[in-house]
């Protein structure tokens, strides 16, 4: 009898029925939460064992559905830490700034899907205002990405929005959505947003020029007018030549 083999994480070939049993036991042991509302998304600073990646230390990224590889969670956490320690605290009251000298705070939730009604941006807003209160003065941003419906949402505090600029945030969000909906690559979308945030903080981010809709419309109308004039002249010549 021919037995199919697949590769386990430890690169050992095992029969498919053993792999299926192993996956089932793993899921049971991990006790992955079923996210039905924004309030059920674990807090990566407190409930980090439920957030994927390194389960021994607090982090800034929560992947409760295990959408990402552990190495991708670690990469995003490093990018966020890089932002924190290469920016300065923007709180007017310096006593509200982190004691470790960190600057602006960014965090991220990656979900397989959303079951609660409302946009992914509403998820991000709820987390920032009620659950993931990582800033004392609104100099924070929370990013939420869902893999199944390829959605991206960003919620920024008032000071964070002033620091980045609304036009810049909208541009980053629009570009990330466009690419994500084409290729479905969660890691690429997350890395793009975080690296773009850092560029914006360092004032090296360049906005994508908007498509010149009205310029195209005006050119089309102008071309139509010219064609109409030539057509009218042609008709007039035909009439007068008779």
């Amino acid at each position: 009898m021919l037995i199919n083999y697949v590769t386990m994480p430890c690169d050992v070939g095992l029969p498919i029925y053993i792999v299926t049993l192993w996956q089932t036991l793993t899921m049971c042991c991990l006790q992955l939460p079923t996210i039905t509302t924004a309030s059920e998304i674990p807090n990566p600073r407190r409930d980090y064992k439920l957030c994927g990646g390194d389960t021994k230390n607090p982090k800034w990224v929560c992947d409760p559905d295990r959408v990402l590889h552990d190495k991708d969670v670690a990469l995003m956490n490093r990018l966020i830490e890089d932002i924190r320690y290469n920016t300065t605290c923007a709180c007017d009251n310096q006593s509200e700034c982190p004691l470790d000298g960190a600057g602006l705070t960014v965090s991220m939730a990656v979900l397989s899907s959303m079951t609660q009604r409302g946009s992914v941006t509403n998820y991000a807003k709820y987390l920032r205002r009620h659950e993931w209160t990582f800033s004392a003065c609104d100099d924070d941003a929370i990013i939420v990405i869902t893999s199944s419906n390829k959605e991206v949402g960003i919620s920024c505090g008032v000071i964070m929005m002033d620091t980045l600029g609304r036009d810049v945030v909208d541009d980053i969000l629009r570009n990330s959505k466009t690419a994500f909906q084409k290729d479905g690559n969660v890691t690429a979308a997350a890395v793009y947003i975080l690296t773009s945030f850092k560029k914006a903080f360092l004032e090296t981010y360049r906005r994508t020029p908007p498509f010149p809709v009205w310029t195209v419309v005006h050119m089309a109308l102008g071309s139509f007018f010219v064609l109409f004039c030539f057509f009218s002249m042609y008709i007039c010549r035909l009439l007068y030549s008779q």
Side-chain angles (χ1 to χ4, degrees):
M1 180 178 68
L2 180 62
I3 299 178
N4 292 323
Y5 284 78
V6 297
T7 303
M8 297 283 284
C10 52
D11 294 328
V12 177
L14 291 174
I16 189 67
Y17 60 85
I18 294 181
V19 173
T20 302
L21 177 61
W22 175 83
Q23 291 174 334
T24 303
L25 291 173
T26 300
M27 293 294 288
C28 291
C29 292
L30 286 174
Q31 295 180 340
L32 298 182
T34 301
I35 304 301
T36 57
T37 65
S39 62
E40 293 179 358
I41 301 175
N43 184 317
R45 306 303 295 170
R46 183 186 64 236
D47 309 316
Y48 48 87
K49 291 184 178 180
L50 301 175
C51 284
D54 178 12
T55 59
K56 297 180 180 179
N57 298 291
K59 57 181 74 69
W60 300 103
V61 180
C62 191
D63 175 25
D65 299 326
R66 305 305 194 269
V67 173
L68 304 170
H69 294 294
D70 289 355
K71 62 181 180 61
D72 294 329
V73 175
L75 169 62
M76 293 170 201
N77 203 63
R78 287 197 301 272
L79 291 173
I80 291 174
E81 289 284 2
D82 188 40
I83 290 173
R84 281 174 54 76
Y85 291 103
N86 282 281
T87 56
T88 57
C89 175
C91 297
D92 292 332
N93 185 350
Q94 292 298 304
S95 65
E96 296 177 331
C97 293
L99 297 177
D100 60 357
L104 302 170
T105 302
V106 179
S107 52
M108 179 182 296
V110 179
L111 308 173
S112 61
S113 63
M114 296 189 313
T115 56
Q116 185 184 35
R117 288 187 177 182
S119 70
V120 68
T121 300
N122 289 338
Y123 262 54
K125 287 180 180 178
Y126 181 88
L127 283 178
R128 191 180 61 78
R129 294 173 180 174
H130 302 286
E131 301 292 336
W132 295 12
T133 52
F134 301 146
S135 168
C137 67
D138 265 1
D139 66 339
D140 61 336
I142 289 183
I143 305 157
V144 176
I145 301 177
T146 60
S147 61
S148 62
N149 51 351
K150 300 179 182 178
E151 288 290 337
V152 181
I154 299 175
S155 175
C156 294
V158 175
I159 293 179
M160 176 68 85
M161 186 66 79
D162 289 343
T163 302
L164 288 171
R166 183 172 295 278
D167 290 344
V168 170
V169 174
D170 290 343
D171 192 62
I172 292 172
L173 182 59
R174 181 170 52 251
N175 291 341
S176 63
K177 281 184 175 180
T178 300
F180 187 31
Q181 289 171 358
K182 285 182 179 179
D183 59 29
N185 190 323
V186 179
T187 302
V191 170
Y192 171 79
I193 294 171
L194 294 175
T195 53
S196 296
F197 269 25
K198 183 179 179 181
K199 290 179 181 178
F201 293 138
L202 299 176
E203 299 182 352
T204 59
Y205 181 81
R206 296 292 178 266
R207 290 176 54 200
T208 304
F211 185 76
V213 177
W214 286 111
T215 301
V216 173
V217 171
H218 291 159
M219 291 176 63
L221 290 174
S223 300
F224 176 79
F225 178 75
V226 171
L227 290 174
F228 178 78
C229 291
F230 277 111
F231 181 74
S232 299
M233 293 172 62
Y234 175 73
I235 295 297
C236 290
R237 287 185 178 182
L238 287 179
L239 292 175
Y240 283 107
S241 63
Q242 294 179 355

